[in-house]
Amino acid sequence: MASLSRLGLSRIAAAVGLSLLVVAFPDHHAIAQLLNPSGDNLPLQVQADSGIEWQQDQKLYIARGNAVATRGPASVRADTLIAHYREVKGGGGADNAGGNTEIYRVEAEGTVTMTREGQTVVGDRAVYDLDQALMVVTGKALKLTTATDTVTARDSLEWYDQKQVAVARGNAAAVRNGKTIKADILTAYMVKTKPADSIAPARPGKASAPQSGTPTPTPVAAPGASPAAESKISRVDAQGHVVVTNAVDNGRGDYGVYNAETGICTLVDNVVITRGKDVIKGQYGVMDLNKNVSRMLPAATGAPAGLPQRVQGLFIREDRSHAANPTDAAPRKVPSAPDKNKASSTTDKKP
């Protein structure tokens, strides 16, 4: 997802009123890293079916109708894109406004899709604060996907660009290769794979000339640009009603930490791990989701000494003796109660 900062207002003004708009913005060294965190010298391109509106009094511009902003291989798409700009401190007057303004807030509304570095985020609305490098996505069916992971949430998805951290709130879930961790809040720490270590990217195609003034919204990598690194989840911190599952075990706890590289998940406080009908309980559980091995310990290694926390286990052996003959398990017929009238008439007879 690209940044829209330090956009020349004169270029926007020239584009107002076009029914199908393509605007290419040349190099600006202060463009924030919303769409291009690598800092490559690439132009910013904005497209919209219904044109761009420039509101000078409100200091914003609005791109409407299937709006797309791209910079290199990264893009943000929405029904409407809104950018708020301001004058740079110490900048010149109105005559010099085009070179002394910067965009500090970007809003995307309606069918939002953002892609960058192998990540895709979808939602109904997104707000990106360039000062904090913070993006918040809300709406229904919130989802963040990478090459290896899928993260969903009910309330919001937050992305901290400088820290490479994603926070999913409300019935959040992270899935990788059949392993799932759910919680009220999930915090995912991302790492970037080196281009040489990742899957070889597709060779950038040649940009074809637009036909009849209709450009393609698909971003094309700049010639000579280095392959982009991909992001994937390295660790997930879980808080509140944590549930961890794989094909064999099911673990629950108040807090959890999942190492996506090793497949080891640590659960803390009120931990319950089940496998079928077998149950172990304690305050500190370790689940190896790759090897299907789970352990329950009295406390974490190196934890302060305190009252010993006993570990409990319940292992149930299934009794199949009654299952051998299904007829044995059939309920017996209960005899009906004797008729009181007949019983009384019999007792009243004398010999």
Side-chain angles (χ1 to χ4, degrees), residues 67-222:
V68 183
T70 60
R71 193 164 192 252
S75 67
V76 53
R77 302 167 181 262
D79 296 340
T80 304
L81 289 176
I82 304 172
H84 300 255
Y85 69 89
R86 65 192 173 196
E87 293 184 1
V88 178
K89 294 181 179 180
D95 295 338
N96 201 22
N100 293 280
T101 61
E102 63 181 4
I103 290 177
Y104 64 92
R105 178 184 175 93
V106 177
E107 301 172 4
E109 298 181 349
T111 318
V112 179
T113 302
M114 292 161 284
T115 59
R116 185 189 65 177
E117 294 181 337
Q119 304 174 26
T120 301
V121 181
V122 297
D124 295 330
R125 188 173 190 272
V127 177
Y128 187 82
D129 187 318
L130 276 68
D131 293 334
Q132 302 182 51
L134 168 62
M135 178 181 68
V136 179
V137 185
T138 56
K140 299 179 180 179
L142 300 174
K143 182 185 292 187
L144 162 67
T145 58
T146 70
T148 56
D149 313 287
T150 301
V151 179
T152 58
R154 180 194 62 212
D155 299 336
S156 67
L157 281 173
E158 302 171 6
W159 173 252
Y160 295 83
D161 195 37
Q162 295 178 350
K163 299 179 180 179
Q164 293 291 296
V165 173
V167 180
R169 299 182 185 275
N171 195 25
V175 181
R176 174 184 287 190
N177 297 330
K179 307 174 185 67
T180 303
I181 178 168
K182 299 180 180 180
D184 296 339
I185 301 174
L186 291 179
T187 303
Y189 299 84
M190 315 290 288
V191 294
K192 296 181 181 180
T193 59
K194 297 180 180 179
D197 298 336
S198 59
I199 300 176
R203 295 181 179 178
K206 296 182 179 179
S208 58
Q211 299 179 359
S212 302
T214 303
T216 172
T218 305
V220 179

Side-chain angles (χ1 to χ4, degrees), residues 2-341:
S3 122
L4 301 173
S5 82
R6 301 221 174 182
L7 204 53
L9 298 183
S10 59
R11 294 182 176 88
I12 300 175
V16 173
L18 297 181
S19 59
L20 181 60
L21 182 66
V22 178
V23 183
F25 300 100
D27 174 34
H28 291 282
H29 67 278
I31 289 183
Q33 298 184 354
L34 176 60
L35 283 179
N36 189 48
S38 62
D40 291 337
N41 185 11
L42 299 175
L44 176 68
Q45 195 175 67
V46 178
Q47 305 176 46
D49 292 346
S50 301
I52 287 182
E53 176 183 337
W54 178 21
Q55 299 183 7
Q56 299 183 50
D57 293 339
Q58 302 297 326
K59 293 186 178 180
L60 58 84
Y61 80 89
I62 305 173
R64 292 189 175 94
N66 190 28
V68 183
T70 60
R71 193 164 192 252
S75 67
V76 53
R77 302 167 181 262
D79 296 340
T80 304
L81 289 176
I82 304 172
H84 300 255
Y85 69 89
R86 65 192 173 196
E87 293 184 1
V88 178
K89 294 181 179 180
D95 295 338
N96 201 22
N100 293 280
T101 61
E102 63 181 4
I103 290 177
Y104 64 92
R105 178 184 175 93
V106 177
E107 301 172 4
E109 298 181 349
T111 318
V112 179
T113 302
M114 292 161 284
T115 59
R116 185 189 65 177
E117 294 181 337
Q119 304 174 26
T120 301
V121 181
V122 297
D124 295 330
R125 188 173 190 272
V127 177
Y128 187 82
D129 187 318
L130 276 68
D131 293 334
Q132 302 182 51
L134 168 62
M135 178 181 68
V136 179
V137 185
T138 56
K140 299 179 180 179
L142 300 174
K143 182 185 292 187
L144 162 67
T145 58
T146 70
T148 56
D149 313 287
T150 301
V151 179
T152 58
R154 180 194 62 212
D155 299 336
S156 67
L157 281 173
E158 302 171 6
W159 173 252
Y160 295 83
D161 195 37
Q162 295 178 350
K163 299 179 180 179
Q164 293 291 296
V165 173
V167 180
R169 299 182 185 275
N171 195 25
V175 181
R176 174 184 287 190
N177 297 330
K179 307 174 185 67
T180 303
I181 178 168
K182 299 180 180 180
D184 296 339
I185 301 174
L186 291 179
T187 303
Y189 299 84
M190 315 290 288
V191 294
K192 296 181 181 180
T193 59
K194 297 180 180 179
D197 298 336
S198 59
I199 300 176
R203 295 181 179 178
K206 296 182 179 179
S208 58
Q211 299 179 359
S212 302
T214 303
T216 172
T218 305
V220 179
S226 59
E230 290 188 347
S231 296
K232 64 178 182 179
I233 293 177
S234 174
R235 191 186 88 204
V236 177
D237 292 351
Q239 178 180 353
H241 303 93
V242 181
V243 179
V244 182
T245 58
N246 65 355
V248 178
D249 296 334
N250 183 301
R252 297 175 181 270
D254 294 344
Y255 304 94
V257 176
Y258 172 57
N259 187 319
E261 302 298 328
T262 62
I264 294 178
C265 181
T266 303
L267 297 172
V268 180
D269 292 345
N270 302 311
V271 181
V272 178
I273 300 177
T274 61
R275 177 177 294 184
K277 295 183 179 180
D278 299 337
V279 181
I280 53 177
K281 298 181 180 181
Q283 298 300 315
Y284 188 84
V286 178
M287 302 175 64
D288 190 330
L289 302 180
N290 291 342
K291 298 180 180 180
N292 295 326
V293 176
S294 298
R295 295 179 294 161
M296 189 69 68
L297 304 174
T301 304
L307 295 177
Q309 298 287 338
R310 292 179 62 83
V311 176
Q312 303 178 21
L314 178 63
F315 305 96
I316 300 176
R317 178 181 178 182
E318 184 178 357
D319 188 359
R320 300 183 179 180
S321 59
H322 295 290
N325 188 359
T327 58
D328 294 343
R332 296 183 179 181
K333 185 177 181 180
V334 179
S336 58
D339 193 333
K340 293 183 179 180
N341 294 330

